[in-house]
Structure formats: structure tokens, C-alpha cells
């Protein structure tokens, strides 16, 4: 993921996604240890668009270089469903085709890159880590699920950001699980009604922005934060399970016949 912070191809794509990007700085001393933050974000699969270079046999996340005054930074788009990521690519191709009418060379260059893109999953922790390491050279552009934003606004009319739903049981009893879809949380509540009807009866669904939670995890440290867990949409959780199962099957067997533990990831070289 070091490629995320490289000088990216200059793409005029920002206008189609009018959201405030997430900028991350260094962890203050009072924050949760970065490993703990990564552990919480790690199980959340997200999707991004990669530009594939067949000759070099590498895939580089699609980013856009933005200038604000004398400052420059790159934006990487992060989606929460593969379908949304693919819709983004389709729209960019349509925009590039339209651009060709005014700027044949520029439109053709954009199409050439877009025609070599693929949508692929990655961990939210990977993007968080890349943004932290970039020292503000990289900002993350979250693109929330439209339906979930609508449901969030039904709870809080002025809500902005990526919705995370949790349960408030009253009397300072808040659920520690945060769901990316309201439907997944409601399914959990339906199960709770069969085991503890009284507790479920008092339950009230609340919504907070993912961006706000990440900021809290990055700047504060207390026991309640250590209990938090993030639950990606069910589709992504199933895919993560499949990836894990495939990795276990592919892992070479140890002396006891069990799958050998995965080798640690190589450390990034400092540039």
C-alpha cells in the first residue's frame, strides 16, 4: 500500500463525490495504541479501485492529486460495497467519454487508465495505516452506502458521514458493537428479543459517523473504547470468511498436520 502515497496520475474525478475526506495525523500520547486501532479496523473489508499495470504486474490504488493553495495531497476512494465501487468506475468512464468531446487527449488518457481498473477488497486498517504513515499526504474519501445514509438521516436529520448504528439500552448502557447497516443491527435485536425481551424492549438505535469514531480511537484511550467492535455489512463479512478459509487451505501443513501460521508481512521500506 505504499503506492497509495506516491505521486498519482492527475485525475479530475473529485467533483463526482462531494464528501469531506478523512485526514489523519500522528497518534497523540493519550490515544489507543495504534496496534489496537488497527485490530479494530482490520476485520472491516472495504473496496477500492485499482489501476492495473500488466507490464509491471502491479495494481496501484486509483487516487487523485488535489491542490489547496501551496499544499498538495492525494485522495483515495474507499467504498463499503463492491457494487458502489463499480458504479463509481462506470460513472468515471462516462465522464471521461464526455470529456473527449472537449479535450480528446485528456479524455483518452483517462479512459485508458479506467479501462484497466479493477475493484478489489482490502482492510480498512490498511487505508488507516497508509493515511497515518503519509503525514497528511494522503486523505481517505469514504463513500457511504446511500441507503444507510437515508436511514441515518431518519434518526438524525443533519447526519453527515458514514453511518455506524449501535444500540442504546438506556441508563448508560450502550452497545459496544457498531454496525455499518441498520438491517444487520435490527437482525441482532430480533435475536435478542427471544433471549431477553425486556432488554430488547428498552433498546433504541443510535447513529454516529465512522469518521468521528476513528477520530476518537486515534485521540483517546479508555476501557470502553477497548470493548468496541465494528461489524461490516454482512456481504463483506462473508467474503472475509471466505478469504480466511482459502488462506487456511493454501497454507502449508506443519509437522503436527495443522496449517502452519502465516508468515509476517514484510516491513515497508522507508522512503
Amino acid at each position: 500500500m505504499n503506492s497509495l502515497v506516491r505521486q498519482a496520475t492527475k485525475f479530475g474525478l473529485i467533483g463526482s463525490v462531494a464528501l469531506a475526506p478523512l485526514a489523519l495525523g500522528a497518534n497523540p500520547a493519550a490515544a489507543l495504541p495504534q496496534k489496537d486501532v488497527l485490530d479494530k479496523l482490520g476485520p472491516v473489508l472495504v473496496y477500492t479501485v485499482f489501476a492495473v499495470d500488466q507490464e509491471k504486474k502491479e495494481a496501484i490504488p486509483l487516487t487523485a492529486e488535489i491542490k489547496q493553495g501551496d499544499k498538495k495531497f492525494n485522495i483515495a476512494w474507499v467504498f463499503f460495497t463492491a457494487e458502489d465501487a463499480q458504479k463509481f468506475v462506470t460513472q468515471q468512464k462516462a465522464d471521461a467519454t464526455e470529456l473527449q468531446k472537449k479535450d480528446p487527449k485528456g479524455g483518452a488518457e483517462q479512459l485508458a487508465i479506467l479501462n484497466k481498473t479493477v475493484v478489489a477488497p482490502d482492510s480498512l486498517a490498511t487505508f488507516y495505516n497508509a493515511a497515518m504513515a503519509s503525514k497528511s499526504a494522503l486523505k481517505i474519501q469514504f463513500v457511504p452506502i446511500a441507503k444507510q445514509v437515508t436511514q441515518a438521516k431518519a434518526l438524525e436529520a443533519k447526519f453527515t458521514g458514514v453511518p455506524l448504528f449501535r444500540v442504546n439500552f438506556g441508563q448508560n448502557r450502550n452497545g459496544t458493537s457498531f454496525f455499518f447497516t441498520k438491517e444487520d443491527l435490527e437482525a441482532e435485536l430480533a435475536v435478542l428479543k427471544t433471549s431477553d425481551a425486556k432488554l430488547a424492549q428498552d433498546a433504541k438505535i443510535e447513529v454516529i459517523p465512522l469518521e468521528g469514531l476513528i477520530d476518537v480511537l486515534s485521540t483517546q484511550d479508555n476501557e470502553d473504547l477497548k470493548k468496541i467492535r465494528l461489524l461490516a455489512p454482512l456481504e463483506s463479512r462473508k467474503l472475509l470468511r471466505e478469504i480466511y478459509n482459502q488462506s487456511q487451505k493454501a497454507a502449508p501443513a506443519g509437522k503436527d498436520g495443522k496449517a502452519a501460521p502465516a508468515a509476517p508481512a514484510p516491513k515497508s521500506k522507508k522512503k
Side-chain angles (χ1 to χ4, degrees):
M1 292 300 292
N2 283 340
S3 56
L4 270 173
V5 297
R6 293 176 186 167
Q7 178 84 2
T9 301
K10 294 180 181 179
F11 246 170
L13 306 180
I14 288 297
S16 62
V17 185
L19 299 170
L22 178 70
L24 298 170
N27 268 19
L32 279 177
Q34 188 165 351
K35 179 183 179 301
D36 291 352
V37 178
L38 294 175
D39 286 345
K40 293 187 181 302
L41 302 181
V44 179
L45 271 192
V46 292
Y47 302 84
T48 194
V49 181
F50 289 85
V52 179
D53 188 325
Q54 295 290 356
E55 293 182 0
K56 295 181 180 179
K57 295 183 179 180
E58 66 177 3
I60 300 175
L62 189 66
T63 62
E65 184 181 86
I66 303 301
K67 292 183 179 180
Q68 288 184 345
D70 59 348
K71 295 182 179 180
K72 294 190 300 184
F73 58 87
N74 289 330
I75 284 188
W77 291 271
V78 172
F79 302 83
F80 295 88
T81 70
E83 182 182 7
D84 281 351
Q86 191 57 57
K87 285 180 179 179
F88 174 80
V89 174
T90 300
Q91 182 59 55
Q92 300 313 319
K93 288 182 178 180
D95 291 347
T97 300
E98 189 65 25
L99 177 63
Q100 277 188 302
K101 298 176 182 178
K102 300 178 181 179
D103 180 1
K105 182 180 178 181
E109 289 177 350
Q110 289 193 15
L111 273 176
I113 295 176
L114 288 165
N115 286 333
K116 295 179 181 179
T117 58
V118 295
V119 170
D122 207 331
S123 167
L124 180 56
T126 303
F127 288 94
Y128 174 88
N129 202 33
M132 290 291 292
S134 76
K135 297 181 180 178
S136 298
L138 173 72
K139 298 180 188 292
I140 304 301
Q141 184 82 67
F142 288 140
V143 184
I145 304 169
K147 180 180 179 182
Q148 301 308 319
V149 172
T150 299
Q151 303 212 69
K153 287 183 178 295
L155 296 172
E156 288 189 23
K158 295 183 179 180
F159 182 87
T160 59
V162 177
L164 287 177
F165 301 92
R166 76 165 180 180
V167 177
N168 181 338
F169 294 105
Q171 299 179 352
N172 295 321
R173 294 176 302 169
N174 294 312
T176 56
S177 297
F178 290 80
F179 294 78
F180 282 82
T181 75
K182 189 166 178 278
E183 291 82 2
D184 288 346
L185 175 53
E186 289 172 337
E188 292 292 322
L189 283 177
V191 174
L192 181 62
K193 286 181 180 179
T194 63
S195 59
D196 194 333
K198 179 60 172 63
L199 185 61
Q201 183 180 357
D202 295 335
K204 178 183 177 182
I205 296 178
E206 297 180 334
V207 62
I208 69 165
L210 170 65
E211 298 87 338
L213 180 61
I214 289 178
D215 182 63
V216 169
L217 293 174
S218 302
T219 58
Q220 299 180 29
D221 184 7
N222 60 58
E223 289 303 314
D224 289 338
L225 292 179
K226 294 177 182 178
K227 300 174 185 176
I228 286 175
R229 64 173 185 154
L230 298 176
L231 294 167
L234 184 58
E235 169 194 349
S236 295
R237 279 183 275 156
K238 288 180 178 179
L239 177 58
L240 181 63
R241 194 175 300 117
E242 289 176 10
I243 293 173
Y244 174 78
N245 290 338
Q246 289 174 4
S247 69
Q248 291 301 296
K249 291 178 182 178
K255 294 181 180 179
D256 57 359
K258 297 181 180 179
K267 295 182 178 180
S268 302
K269 295 181 179 180
K270 294 183 178 180
K271 297 187 176 182

